[in-house]
Amino acid sequence: MAPTLFDDSLKPGDLIEFFRGTFEHWAVYIGGNEVVHLVPQGADDDSVPFSSLMTVLDSGIAEVMRHKIWEVARFDRYHVNNLLDDEYEPHERRIIVRDACRMVGRQLPYCVVSNNCEHFVTELRYGKPESRQVKTVIAGVATVAVALGVTLISSLLKDDNKRRNHK
């Protein structure tokens, strides 16, 4: 997204959700058209597209970086998503920004399931690392697993009943 398309409604401390296609990337807006975000190793290399899901899945280390919002967005859509404001009291905006800026340059462990960019920003804003994105995927996988299990059991029971009836 070009600098001229910048959304003036952003406030320091807001969580920004970037839509990458197969997943979302998260950052904290710190003011001055800048964000702080957790970037998996290799994802900031222009030769490796950040939208690559494999880059995200294959990294065990990430770096906290500070960029202009349009450098992070590139051509992707984004919006403010303070997703847990109804559940938790957000920290003061100045505290969120201060803490985010203090983290810049640090390398942190990265795990797509337990320590990703969404966990990073929710911990800064609420003091609680959570990822709705991960919870949604896990719930979806669990639902599919249960459905497959029920289908398999039903199929086995039908086969068993057929065998009994043919004897």
Side-chain angles (χ1 to χ4, degrees):
M1 189 166 276
T4 55
L5 299 176
F6 181 72
D7 183 356
D8 289 331
S9 67
L10 298 174
K11 297 180 195 83
D14 279 343
L15 303 186
I16 310 300
E17 182 179 20
F18 298 88
F19 298 94
R20 298 287 195 225
T22 53
F23 63 97
E24 284 79 40
H25 180 62
W26 292 81
V28 173
Y29 182 69
I30 60 168
N33 296 343
E34 292 186 314
V35 295
V36 170
H37 57 133
L38 187 64
V39 181
Q41 199 169 41
D44 61 334
D45 180 356
D46 283 340
S47 67
V48 180
F50 185 46
S51 60
S52 167
L53 186 57
M54 286 313 296
T55 301
V56 172
L57 292 176
D58 194 32
S59 182
I61 301 285
E63 184 176 348
V64 179
M65 302 180 107
R66 181 177 181 162
H67 287 109
K68 293 292 187 185
I69 195 167
W70 55 84
E71 292 173 329
V72 178
R74 295 185 183 176
F75 299 104
D76 297 325
R77 290 182 313 108
Y78 66 89
H79 71 225
V80 172
N81 187 354
N82 297 321
L83 70 164
L84 300 174
D85 279 9
D86 291 339
E87 289 183 44
Y88 305 117
E89 183 71 29
H91 294 214
E92 292 179 37
R93 291 182 181 279
R94 65 177 181 77
I95 302 295
I96 299 167
V97 171
R98 181 201 67 196
D99 291 350
C101 290
R102 285 181 177 171
M103 298 290 290
V104 172
R106 290 186 56 191
Q107 287 197 335
L108 302 173
Y110 184 87
C111 175
V112 73
V113 174
S114 62
N115 198 25
N116 64 35
C117 58
E118 188 177 359
H119 290 103
F120 174 73
V121 299
T122 56
E123 184 165 19
L124 285 168
R125 185 168 175 89
Y126 308 105
K128 308 221 183 263
E130 287 194 23
S131 175
R132 292 283 170 89
Q133 190 170 198
V134 169
K135 286 181 180 180
T136 300
V137 169
I138 289 171
V141 169
T143 301
V144 169
V146 167
L148 287 173
V150 167
T151 302
L152 179 62
I153 290 169
S154 174
S155 176
L156 292 172
L157 290 174
K158 285 180 186 175
D159 287 346
D160 191 44
N161 285 339
K162 283 182 184 177
R163 278 189 228 127
R164 286 183 191 163
N165 291 336
H166 283 55
K167 288 184 178 180

